[in-house]
């Protein structure tokens, strides 16, 4: 695992794997919460574990995508310089 965090309410565990998958589990049932979110190049969580930023590449573009990990929904996507190779969140 390259990233592992619990949501602020402790109900969801999120893991970003080196195999480029972001997985979410319900802690109480130990069941996966849907399919992997995407195939990131890099990822970072905020301090509370509720928002995930992933970095993906599409041709000549690099895209930073924000995810709400409680709902598993995408918050937004922003184009970033292609040279970017890691994502970082500030509190």
């Amino acid at each position: 695992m390259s990233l592992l965090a619990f949501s602020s309410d402790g109900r969801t565990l999120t893991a970003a794997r080196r195999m480029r998958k972001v997985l979410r589990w319900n802690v109480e049932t130990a069941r996966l919460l849907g399919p992997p979110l995407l195939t990131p190049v890099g990822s970072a969580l905020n301090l509370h574990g509720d928002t995930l930023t992933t970095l993906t590449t599409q041709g000549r573009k690099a895209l930073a995508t924000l995810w709400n990990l409680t709902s598993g929904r995408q918050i937004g996507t922003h184009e970033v310089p292609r040279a970017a190779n890691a994502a970082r969140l500030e509190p």
Side-chain angles (χ1 to χ4, degrees):
M1 298 291 157
S2 58
L3 179 115
L4 190 63
F6 287 93
S7 61
S8 59
D9 65 7
R11 295 180 178 179
T12 304
L13 175 64
T14 300
R17 298 173 37 180
R18 289 185 179 219
M19 295 169 61
R20 299 183 179 190
K21 291 183 181 180
V22 176
L23 304 170
R24 299 175 311 122
W25 286 271
N26 177 304
V27 173
E28 187 175 320
T29 65
R31 292 186 183 206
L32 280 174
L33 297 172
L37 294 178
L38 51 104
T39 56
V41 172
S43 54
L45 282 169
N46 71 355
L47 293 176
H48 301 289
D50 295 328
T51 305
L52 174 74
T53 300
T54 58
L55 183 66
T56 57
T57 57
Q58 293 182 347
R60 295 177 178 245
K61 290 192 233 176
L63 301 173
T65 303
L66 297 175
W67 300 88
N68 177 312
L69 292 176
T70 302
S71 68
R73 293 179 187 233
Q74 184 176 320
I75 297 169
T77 300
H78 307 280
E79 189 171 339
V80 296
R82 179 70 167 93
N85 62 5
R88 181 176 176 186
L89 281 174
E90 296 293 338

